[in-house]
């Protein structure tokens, strides 16, 4: 598997994101290894909160969430998925699969970091991958926060706005990553923030991950990931793990998933689920402190 590694100088002078990155190796399918990156904030012995980003962002998305969690005594851990951020970037779209991303993330979270008693915070692909991890390793998790995400099986069609996004990614000769993130936000980006979202991708050869992810969302009942995702739904729908929905009020992509999660997850019953107001799909960018406050209150109540 041929991979690229974004030069470190691309990440110099990131606005409000001075955390020192950490690195660990996970196995690749060819017997080698890939380097994955993450940042941490808060006490090393605090209850761990795993912050998972989605497509096509990276851990920079959580820059206003991390300090709030740290101040509350939580150990906030924000990885970069393979192909994103400071993590290694396989160069072929076909190098990426749903199953591989689940396994890469599992290896980092459990084999490298050995996290236990974890609260998952998953947005976009962070939920698609994170909910699989929870279902397949319930003993490692203490709670779940689903934020503008879901767990598609291909049994129901995706909304048209998502299909528009997928077609735009497929057809783009040059993939403007920062523009895609900006399109999912209500807050206008400064030039520095825009540059930070572009930083992981010096040129098109680094962008196989962002190009691959829309193709990996199950859109038909016989998708390669469907069986595993159905099994995850079955496990989660029987689990009493505390479950919080923290969706924004302005995301046409995932809005329909919130009521489904609320009524399906036993741990969501009888709970007050916050609506993060004034935010789009990337609610961490639009309302990061509000999301962080909801997580802090939830973790305090779930422990």
């Amino acid at each position: 598997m041929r991979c690229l590694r974004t030069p470190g100088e691309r990440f110099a002078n990131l606005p409000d994101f001075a955390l020192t990155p950490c690195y660990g190796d996970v196995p690749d399918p060819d017997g080698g290894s890939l380097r994955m990156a993450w940042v941490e904030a808060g006490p090393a012995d605090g209850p761990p909160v795993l912050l998972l980003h989605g497509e096509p962002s990276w851990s920079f998305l959580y820059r206003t969430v991390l300090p709030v969690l740290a101040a509350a005594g939580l150990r906030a851990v924000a990885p970069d998925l393979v192909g994103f951020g400071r993590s290694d970037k396989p160069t072929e779209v076909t190098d990426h699969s749903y199953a591989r991303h689940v396994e890469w993330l599992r290896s980092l979270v459990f084999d490298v970091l050995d996290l236990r008693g974890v609260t998952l915070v998953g947005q976009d692909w962070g939920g698609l991958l994170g909910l699989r991890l929870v279902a397949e390793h319930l003993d490692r998790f203490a709670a779940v926060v689903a934020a503008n995400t879901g767990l598609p099986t291909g049994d129901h069609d995706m909304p048209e706005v998502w299909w528009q996004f997928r077609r735009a990614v497929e057809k783009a000769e040059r993939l403007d990553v920062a523009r895609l993130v900006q399109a999912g936000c209500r807050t206008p980006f400064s030039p520095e923030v825009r540059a930070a979202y572009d930083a992981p991708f010096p040129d098109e050869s680094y962008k196989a991950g962002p190009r691959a992810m829309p193709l990996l969302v199950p859109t038909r009942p016989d998708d390669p990931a469907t069986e595993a995702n159905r099994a995850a739904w079955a496990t989660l729908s029987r689990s009493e793990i505390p479950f919080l929905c923290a969706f924004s009020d302005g995301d046409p992509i995932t809005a329909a998933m919130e009521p489904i999660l609320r009524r399906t997850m036993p741990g969501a019953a009888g709970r007050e689920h916050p609506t993060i107001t004034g935010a789009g799909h990337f609610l961490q960018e639009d309302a990061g402190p509000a999301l962080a406050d909801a997580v802090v209150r939830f973790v305090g109540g779930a422990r």
Side-chain angles (χ1 to χ4, degrees):
M1 179 180 288
R2 179 172 173 265
C3 291
L4 297 172
R5 185 169 293 172
T6 304
E9 57 266 25
R10 295 276 299 182
F11 302 101
N13 303 315
L14 296 168
D16 303 314
F17 198 60
L19 294 171
T20 301
C22 306
Y23 299 98
D25 292 332
V26 300
D28 76 16
D30 299 328
S33 64
L34 298 167
R35 191 178 78 168
M36 289 187 72
W38 74 94
V39 293
E40 290 195 29
D45 60 351
V49 179
L50 180 65
L51 305 167
L52 297 183
H53 71 85
E55 151 82 354
S57 62
W58 61 294
S59 58
F60 176 76
L61 183 68
Y62 282 101
R63 68 192 180 281
T64 63
V65 175
L66 286 150
V68 177
L69 302 186
L74 304 176
R75 180 188 178 189
V77 180
D80 294 332
L81 300 179
V82 169
F84 298 82
R86 294 182 173 101
S87 291
D88 283 350
K89 297 171 180 65
T91 57
E92 302 297 325
V93 169
T94 53
D95 291 332
H96 297 264
S97 74
Y98 202 135
R100 284 180 177 179
H101 276 279
V102 170
E103 175 56 24
W104 287 328
L105 191 58
R106 184 211 62 79
S107 182
L108 178 73
V109 173
F110 301 146
D111 298 341
V112 176
L113 289 165
D114 193 28
L115 296 184
R116 300 171 186 274
V118 181
T119 295
L120 167 72
V121 178
Q123 182 263 340
D124 190 86
W125 265 98
L128 272 69
L129 299 173
L131 291 172
R132 279 277 300 273
L133 276 190
V134 174
E136 294 167 11
H137 305 276
L138 270 173
D139 60 315
R140 293 282 196 143
F141 288 89
V144 175
V145 179
N148 289 1
T149 192
L151 190 60
T153 61
D155 296 310
H156 305 281
D157 198 10
M158 297 293 288
E160 177 57 27
V161 66
W162 180 85
W163 282 107
Q164 292 172 4
F165 167 75
R166 172 172 161 161
R167 289 192 290 267
V169 172
E170 285 182 288
K171 294 177 180 179
E173 183 175 339
R174 176 184 173 275
L175 195 62
D176 189 337
V177 170
R179 182 174 177 272
L180 290 175
V181 181
Q182 175 68 93
C185 299
R186 292 182 174 179
T187 306
F189 286 176
S190 68
E192 293 78 14
V193 168
R194 183 182 180 90
Y197 282 114
D198 282 332
F201 310 107
D203 60 48
E204 295 305 304
S205 65
Y206 288 77
K207 298 178 183 177
R211 289 189 179 276
M213 297 308 259
L215 306 177
L216 303 182
V217 176
T219 58
R220 61 183 193 276
D222 61 346
D223 186 274
T226 290
E227 184 176 350
N229 282 14
R230 285 179 183 154
W233 273 106
T235 298
L236 293 170
S237 66
R238 295 190 301 266
S239 170
E240 296 291 336
I241 189 169
F243 199 104
L244 185 75
C245 292
F247 280 58
S248 73
D249 62 350
D251 183 19
I253 296 175
T254 65
M257 184 55 63
E258 182 182 19
I260 296 172
L261 290 171
R262 286 196 191 190
R263 68 173 178 260
T264 304
M265 304 302 170
R271 195 176 299 281
E272 184 177 346
H273 299 269
T275 297
I276 309 300
T277 59
H281 180 63
F282 296 102
L283 71 170
Q284 307 96 315
E285 186 67 49
D286 289 324
L291 173 62
D293 287 342
V295 172
V296 169
R297 291 194 302 271
F298 174 59
V299 172
R303 284 159 59 187

